Amino acid sequence: MKKVLALSIAAVFLIAGCSEQRSSPDGSEYMEKPEQSLPAEDLEVIADNLDVPWSIEKLEDTIYLTERSGNIVKIEGDEVERQSVELEEEVSTASEAGLLGFVLAPDFSESNQAYAYYTYENSGGQFNRIVTLRLEGNIWREESLLLDQIPSGTYHHGGRLKIGPDEKLYATAGDASEREIAQDLNSLGGKILRLNLDGSIPGDNPFPDSYVYSYGHRNPQGITWSSDGTMYASEHGDNANDEINLIKAGQNYGWPIIEGEEKQEGMVSPLFTSGNEATWAPSGMAYDNDKLYVAALRGTAVLEFDLKTNEQRELVTDLGRIRDVFIEDEYLYFISNNLDGRGTGQENDDRLYRMPLSD
């Protein structure tokens, strides 16, 4: 059985040593990797003093994190470097907005290309867009626009990007606080979107000439696939009734007509829900060995859902708001978001953690 980790916030302070910022030889800012002094041998702090990190990506021994303020943090060995991102539009500072989803191109080692999802404002309003970035030295530059004017708003930007086992780019888009657009197939809001890597519409998408892959979503923030290619997504409910859904092409997931355990013909109810009395605010998610691991913001935990037994539990607690998770080589990586305006920030927040997923 996997160990349940529940450390108090006070104990976490003992994990990370002080971390200072200074300039690298080329003048760019980077941060010292915190010293490890662990009260629990199963948990490591890989980096701290992060600025509201949102997405985790990893290639071999290098980790990349987006920060909502508009930076990408590169972690390689003992060096933690904050890299600037030059975008065509200024990143929005609206609530929940910013530089969100991020995924490396399959040929990143040769192309230095990645995909990003960010929120911006201009004279026409506030929107989200999906772009390609190219790393040049230690600066990421927006290279091409793949999809623009994804609805934004006061809240509910969605924002997760992943490349699926079919080598298509998937993006989650929230309802932008306009619940009715989730049922409107002519709107990109309240949807899971599917793109070719060049930004074109895949010919086998479920709706003709449409990026829409599934609809009826409120604020989906996590997607992942099992080893057999089954797709799953996490979604924020309305105060409660958060959902973990099995995603199929063309299906309607009900918002705002149904949510949680409610049912209606032609609409899909979730595999798991927090119910009427609890709130997870689930975000990033990952799959490993017949289990889903989900970051929970208001739930302040990493949640584990067993797809075989339908059991669920809190795997990690008491570290505050958790935004994203990533699994590789039986290690679980996760990031806190205690400085996102809704948590209680502590010294050296926010942090990237790692722990083994061992039996």
Side-chain angles (χ1 to χ4, degrees):
M1 175 180 289
K2 294 176 182 174
K3 299 178 181 177
V4 177
L5 181 64
L7 301 180
S8 70
I9 293 293
V12 175
F13 294 159
L14 302 176
I15 299 176
C18 295
S19 177
E20 63 180 33
Q21 297 183 354
R22 60 183 186 179
S23 295
S24 62
D26 63 5
S28 62
E29 181 187 20
Y30 72 97
M31 299 167 285
E32 289 286 330
K33 182 179 178 181
E35 293 181 2
Q36 307 296 312
S37 177
L38 303 179
E41 63 180 6
D42 284 346
L43 184 70
E44 295 178 76
V45 176
I46 304 298
D48 63 5
N49 288 315
L50 301 170
D51 185 12
V52 194
W54 213 88
S55 288
I56 305 171
E57 266 287 80
K58 189 173 184 291
L59 179 65
E60 297 177 348
D61 295 327
T62 302
I63 299 170
Y64 296 94
L65 311 174
T66 56
E67 294 180 320
R68 258 179 42 194
S69 56
N71 301 302
I72 292 175
V73 175
K74 176 185 178 183
I75 304 167
E76 189 172 35
D78 292 330
E79 185 173 300
V80 183
E81 177 187 8
R82 178 171 283 121
Q83 300 177 324
S84 62
V85 183
E86 296 183 356
L87 300 169
E88 294 297 318
E89 301 283 354
E90 184 176 353
V91 171
S92 172
T93 58
S95 180
E96 300 182 5
L99 179 58
L100 306 175
F102 177 79
V103 62
L104 300 175
D107 64 347
F108 175 75
S109 298
E110 294 76 37
S111 68
N112 282 344
Q113 190 179 70
Y115 302 87
Y117 183 115
Y118 72 94
T119 316
Y120 70 95
E121 300 174 52
N122 62 21
S123 59
Q126 181 176 297
F127 304 98
N128 297 298
R129 58 177 7 196
I130 300 171
V131 301
T132 62
L133 303 177
R134 190 173 298 276
L135 180 61
E136 299 175 356
N138 64 346
I139 298 175
W140 296 84
R141 291 186 171 88
E142 183 174 331
E143 184 177 51
S144 61
L145 174 63
L146 300 186
L147 184 58
D148 202 358
Q149 297 195 335
I150 300 169
S152 182
T154 308
Y155 304 109
H156 304 173
H157 309 286
R160 191 66 58 191
L161 287 183
K162 293 287 184 181
I163 295 176
D166 56 2
E167 299 185 350
K168 305 299 183 184
L169 181 64
Y170 290 79
T172 66
D175 69 5
S177 302
E178 297 182 23
R179 55 175 59 195
E180 67 277 1
I181 69 174
Q183 290 292 320
D184 181 359
L185 288 174
N186 293 314
S187 172
L188 298 176
K191 311 295 190 299
I192 294 176
L193 309 174
R194 182 175 182 256
L195 298 72
N196 290 319
L197 297 185
D198 63 2
S200 60
I201 297 173
D204 59 348
N205 269 11
F207 304 103
D209 300 317
S210 174
Y211 290 104
V212 173
Y213 189 74
S214 63
Y215 66 109
H217 299 289
R218 184 173 182 268
N219 190 24
Q221 286 194 0
I223 44 180
T224 193
W225 289 263
S226 66
S227 53
D228 66 3
T230 302
M231 185 178 179
Y232 301 90
S234 65
E235 181 171 339
H236 291 205
D238 188 7
N239 295 318
N241 293 306
D242 298 312
E243 298 181 356
I244 305 299
N245 286 299
L246 189 157
I247 302 298
K248 292 185 178 181
Q251 295 297 301
N252 181 354
Y253 289 82
W255 175 255
I257 300 168
I258 64 169
E259 63 174 336
E261 296 178 351
E262 296 174 343
K263 299 181 185 298
Q264 184 164 313
E265 186 177 356
M267 298 180 183
V268 181
S269 298
L271 291 179
F272 301 94
T273 178
S274 64
N276 292 317
E277 304 299 326
T279 302
W280 299 328
S283 191
M285 61 192 305
Y287 169 90
D288 182 70
N289 194 27
D290 293 317
K291 294 182 175 65
L292 297 174
Y293 297 87
V294 181
L297 293 159
R298 288 186 63 183
T300 61
V302 175
L303 307 175
E304 179 189 84
F305 299 90
D306 192 313
L307 296 171
K308 284 189 171 180
T309 65
N310 291 322
E311 296 175 329
Q312 61 190 67
R313 63 168 178 158
E314 294 181 340
L315 179 67
V316 177
T317 61
D318 296 330
L319 299 179
R321 294 166 60 82
I322 309 299
R323 173 65 69 179
D324 196 18
V325 295
F326 182 93
I327 294 175
E328 184 179 76
D329 298 331
E330 292 302 309
Y331 277 93
L332 172 70
Y333 298 78
F334 59 97
I335 45 176
S336 62
N337 256 196
N338 294 316
L339 302 179
D340 66 359
R342 297 187 175 183
T344 302
Q346 305 291 343
E347 185 178 0
N348 297 329
D349 271 336
D350 281 319
R351 298 180 174 92
L352 168 67
Y353 299 93
R354 183 177 77 167
M355 61 176 287
L357 287 176
S358 55
D359 293 332

